[in-house]
Amino acid sequence: MKEKISANATIGLVATLTLVLIAAFIISTASPAPAAMARAETLTAQSSHSVTVVGEGTVSIEPDIATASIGVEVVRPTVREASAAAQSIMEDVQAALLSQNIDESDIQTRHFSIFAERFGPGGLLDEDEVRYRVSNTVTITIRDLESIGGVLDAAIDSGANNIYGVDFSLADPASVESEARARAVADAFDKAEELADLISVGVGEVMGISEIIGQGGGFFGGNFSRMAAAEMGGGSGPISPGELSLTMQLQITYELR
């Protein structure tokens, strides 16, 4: 009987020791060493110390292309008459544009509409009277800026009665965009350094960068000529391309040390 009790006690002791060892192993693997904990806290602290700024770079350039919206608008008693008249005049306008060395691929229809009018200059028309207004507008690209005046005059002389505007831009802004980006990076770093100095830290590595997209990768500003047909007095008048400025914006995040 004593031998049986002794054997049972031995088995119980072994089981208890086994459980203690297993618990110790679990605790040792679940809890990082003090040195590991310190390194983790340092990494967390470093990654949370950063500054994000927006750098802006601007380059001034001379435009090399112009775009203009040229339209024809007619009013006739019937849809057929209005449509036929608008088509005939627009064909003359396009022929005039081609004669001014505007390439056919640089002429694109942008707007066409037919509208039934039931109001005249003095108010409502007669009950059975309706007029139809047809509008047809093309956008053209002018690659020889010295010919702008001649191109618009030719369009007006051939029957165009709406010119919505002349915009100046660059045919290929890629190289100018690259220069503007470089200036934006320098501007962003200057801003980051200024902010870092205020809190007595230094600027470290770049942690992230993204481009703030505008028109064509950036946005133009400058001297644009806008004209309405009523202001032109039968001629295009003097048109100056002036100077454009292309601006790129970059958002950059720097590490602070």
Side-chain angles (χ1 to χ4, degrees), residues 19-34:
L19 290 174
V20 170
L21 289 173
I22 291 173
F25 176 76
I26 292 173
I27 292 172
S28 64
T29 56
S31 302

Side-chain angles (χ1 to χ4, degrees), residues 79-224:
V79 172
R80 186 175 296 277
E81 289 178 293
S83 179
Q87 179 179 347
S88 176
I89 298 172
M90 182 53 77
E91 288 175 353
D92 291 342
V93 169
Q94 294 197 23
L97 294 174
L98 294 173
S99 72
Q100 294 294 313
N101 297 319
I102 302 297
D103 194 271
E104 189 171 357
S105 62
D106 287 331
I107 303 174
Q108 184 179 36
T109 299
R110 284 298 177 92
H111 173 78
F112 181 85
S113 66
I114 299 176
F115 178 70
E117 291 187 337
R118 292 176 172 80
F119 293 87
L124 282 170
L125 298 173
D126 292 339
E127 195 171 302
D128 59 347
E129 186 180 3
V130 178
R131 301 185 308 186
Y132 294 90
R133 183 181 299 272
V134 174
S135 298
N136 190 352
T137 303
V138 296
T139 297
I140 65 170
T141 300
I142 304 171
R143 302 186 184 277
D144 177 10
L145 298 187
E146 294 184 357
S147 70
I148 294 177
V151 169
L152 298 182
D153 284 342
I156 293 168
D157 291 342
S158 61
N161 53 11
N162 280 328
I163 296 182
Y164 296 104
V166 177
D167 293 337
F168 295 98
S169 60
L170 297 178
D172 182 14
S175 61
V176 180
E177 288 177 353
S178 296
E179 184 178 350
R181 286 190 188 98
R183 295 187 182 187
V185 170
D187 180 56
F189 184 77
D190 290 343
K191 290 177 179 177
E193 274 200 324
E194 181 181 348
L195 292 173
D197 287 343
L198 292 175
I199 55 175
S200 301
V201 296
V203 178
E205 299 295 324
V206 173
M207 301 174 65
I209 182 171
S210 61
E211 186 172 291
I212 300 175
I213 302 298
Q215 298 176 7
F219 58 88
F220 282 108
N223 181 17
F224 295 94

Side-chain angles (χ1 to χ4, degrees), residues 47-60:
S47 62
S48 65
H49 286 79
S50 63
V51 61
T52 300
V53 293
V54 174
E56 187 171 283
T58 300
V59 179
S60 296

